[in-house]
Amino acid sequence: MNKPDAEFGPLWSVAAAWVDVNNDGLLDLLVINYLKWDAKTEPDCEVFGHRDYCHPKMYKPTPNQLFINNGNGTFRDASVESGLRAQPGKGMGAAVADFNLNGKMDLFVPNDKLVNFFFRNQGNGKFTESGFEAGVSLREDGTFISGMGVDARDLDNDGYPDMVIVALDKETFPIYRNTGKGDFQDVTEPSGMTKLSLPMAGYSPNIADFDNDGWKDIFVSRGHVQGMKSQPRVMVEQPNTVFRNLGGMKFSALTEDAGFTALAPSRHRGSSVGDLNGDGKLDVVVTALSAPAEVWMNNSPDHNHWLELKLQGTKSNRDGIGARIKVVTKRGTQYSQMSTSTGYASSCAGPVHFGMGEDATAELVEIRWPSGIVQQLKNVPADRIVAVKEPQ
């Protein structure tokens, strides 16, 4: 929790993201705040005859914050001048990406039982909220959902970052396809996600290629917000699920087949991915309430190739956060970006991962650094981590 705000009081922060909002090579800090909560004024709420978590409508929204890096080890609060403070919400996560490929990092914030926020980067550290214009403020039918975590990556290999939000049971996990024209299309129903996710409650999504076939999948940590006393009327403890990308924005749900029922279900929360044992397959770490953290090692077949790019910025920020990457192989082209922001109250650090299927060589790797520099590598062998330093 942050120090008390002069207007809103104590701020309950649930997520943060590093982002270079003004492309000056210095990482700025975005902080996502949930709602105004104080133990002294906490209301008594009953669910199924017992005290439990209150509905978000019982609390006032709070604004998100942006702290600009001064370059001397200090930050200044730019929440007001950026436009973020003008939009109080009940944020549960953040997706940071250059959604319209104009070289400026935009921000998406899912809200709990409120409209979602889509902040377009206007340059010079200024943002404009345009969720309705972008088509992401609400689910397609106009219903409020319990927006939890979010992730943004290119799911259909067209070069534009798409988004997936997770929510509670009967609310679905909405998928927004980036049209490349400045807005998004809700493809939750045609993708199969509506039917697959309707009985599920999720917290943290991670978009990543878990079987290295060249199509990014969606992992979701699952568990309900209600306390244990709500069982069995509500499925509070749940197993995790990975939604396999079948191509063409179609998905299948793998829970038992993925091995997630090998452990007892739990109230899962945060999640992060990375290749923990260096075998080229992305593993998953998940947290849970009142339970040990889980480490899920990826045992997918080894016949598909992979490539990871470890970026080092020079003119851009050190980790290359915000860099856009294109990988071209004989089977096609895919895209991703360097970002540590993912899921719910989580972060993923490490190289940018690409599955390459049967292709053992990337004919072209193109990196568009936040500085504007474009760097190309040709005929890059697969099945390795390639360190790439931004040219001076």
Side-chain angles (χ1 to χ4, degrees):
M1 185 178 292
N2 291 333
K3 66 180 182 179
D5 181 90
E7 178 181 356
F8 293 92
L11 297 178
W12 185 359
S13 303
V14 297
W18 291 110
V19 54
D20 185 355
V21 300
N22 48 16
N23 290 342
D24 63 355
L26 302 172
L27 288 177
D28 311 302
L29 179 63
L30 170 70
V31 178
I32 305 302
N33 295 309
Y34 184 33
L35 44 73
K36 185 175 181 180
W37 182 86
D38 191 333
K40 298 177 182 179
T41 58
E42 173 69 2
D44 288 331
C45 298
E46 285 194 0
V47 177
F48 304 128
H50 65 270
R51 188 177 182 184
D52 210 325
Y53 295 108
C54 295
H55 191 282
K57 68 182 180 181
M58 303 295 293
Y59 307 94
K60 294 182 179 180
T62 54
N64 301 306
Q65 297 167 287
L66 178 65
F67 297 92
I68 298 294
N69 194 331
N70 293 322
N72 60 0
T74 65
F75 292 77
R76 63 181 177 84
D77 190 339
S79 307
V80 174
E81 65 189 71
S82 68
L84 297 188
R85 188 178 174 85
Q87 299 289 337
K90 297 176 182 178
M92 295 287 280
V96 182
D98 182 2
F99 289 103
N100 56 3
L101 309 188
N102 67 350
K104 303 183 184 80
M105 300 295 283
D106 308 302
L107 313 173
F108 175 82
V109 180
N111 284 306
D112 191 1
K113 292 297 186 179
L114 286 178
V115 295
N116 302 314
F117 296 153
F118 186 74
F119 294 101
R120 294 190 189 276
N121 192 334
Q122 305 298 325
N124 299 318
K126 307 290 186 181
F127 292 85
T128 300
E129 203 290 304
S130 55
F132 278 106
E133 293 84 349
V136 295
S137 285
L138 296 166
R139 202 172 62 180
E140 189 173 34
D141 60 1
T143 301
F144 289 120
I145 65 171
S146 307
M148 299 296 181
V150 60
D151 202 6
R153 300 275 176 178
D154 184 7
L155 288 167
D156 55 358
N157 290 342
D158 68 348
Y160 290 89
D162 310 297
M163 291 189 294
V164 59
I165 310 172
V166 295
L168 299 182
D169 53 300
K170 301 178 183 179
E171 295 180 337
T172 76
F173 300 163
I175 297 178
Y176 295 105
R177 186 185 72 84
N178 192 332
T179 67
K181 300 177 182 179
D183 61 0
F184 295 78
Q185 177 187 11
D186 189 330
V187 296
T188 315
E189 196 281 328
S191 72
M193 185 61 80
T194 296
K195 182 178 180 180
L196 296 172
S197 65
L198 199 61
M200 301 178 180
Y203 255 85
S204 184
N206 297 94
I207 298 176
D209 189 352
F210 293 104
D211 55 2
N212 286 334
D213 66 348
W215 295 97
K216 297 177 185 66
D217 313 296
I218 304 170
F219 170 85
V220 175
S221 66
R222 291 172 52 197
H224 208 282
V225 67
Q226 301 300 155
M228 293 298 295
K229 291 183 179 180
S230 291
Q231 292 195 130
R233 298 190 184 187
V234 175
M235 188 168 60
V236 177
E237 296 177 307
Q238 300 185 21
N240 301 308
T241 296
V242 62
F243 298 89
R244 188 184 182 194
N245 192 335
L246 305 176
M249 274 293 190
K250 303 290 184 182
F251 295 87
S252 64
L254 303 177
T255 302
E256 182 177 359
D257 291 345
F260 293 125
T261 56
L263 287 182
S266 190
R267 290 181 290 170
H268 300 106
R269 292 299 185 259
S271 64
S272 184
V273 302
D275 183 2
L276 300 180
N277 57 357
D279 65 353
K281 293 176 289 189
L282 293 174
D283 312 299
V284 184
V285 178
V286 187
T287 63
L289 296 182
S290 302
E294 299 171 3
V295 179
W296 294 95
M297 303 305 296
N298 191 336
N299 293 320
S300 300
D302 295 322
H303 58 268
N304 285 333
H305 297 285
W306 57 277
L307 181 67
E308 291 192 343
L309 301 169
K310 185 177 182 180
L311 305 185
Q312 180 183 347
T314 53
K315 186 176 181 181
S316 302
N317 63 84
R318 183 193 62 189
D319 294 323
I321 291 176
R324 304 202 316 268
I325 305 171
K326 177 172 71 174
V327 172
V328 180
T329 67
K330 291 181 179 179
R331 300 177 69 224
T333 303
Q334 52 181 304
Y335 305 81
S336 193
Q337 76 271 349
M338 177 56 195
S339 174
T340 59
S341 176
T342 185
Y344 165 79
S346 304
S347 182
C348 291
V352 183
H353 182 95
F354 289 88
M356 294 174 54
E358 299 176 357
D359 294 326
T361 301
E363 297 176 349
L364 173 68
V365 174
E366 182 179 273
I367 304 168
R368 293 183 175 271
W369 295 87
S371 64
I373 293 173
V374 179
Q375 184 177 8
Q376 292 187 339
L377 309 175
K378 295 184 178 180
N379 299 319
V380 181
D383 304 324
R384 66 196 63 203
I385 300 173
V386 178
V388 184
K389 187 175 183 178
E390 181 183 17
Q392 297 278 3

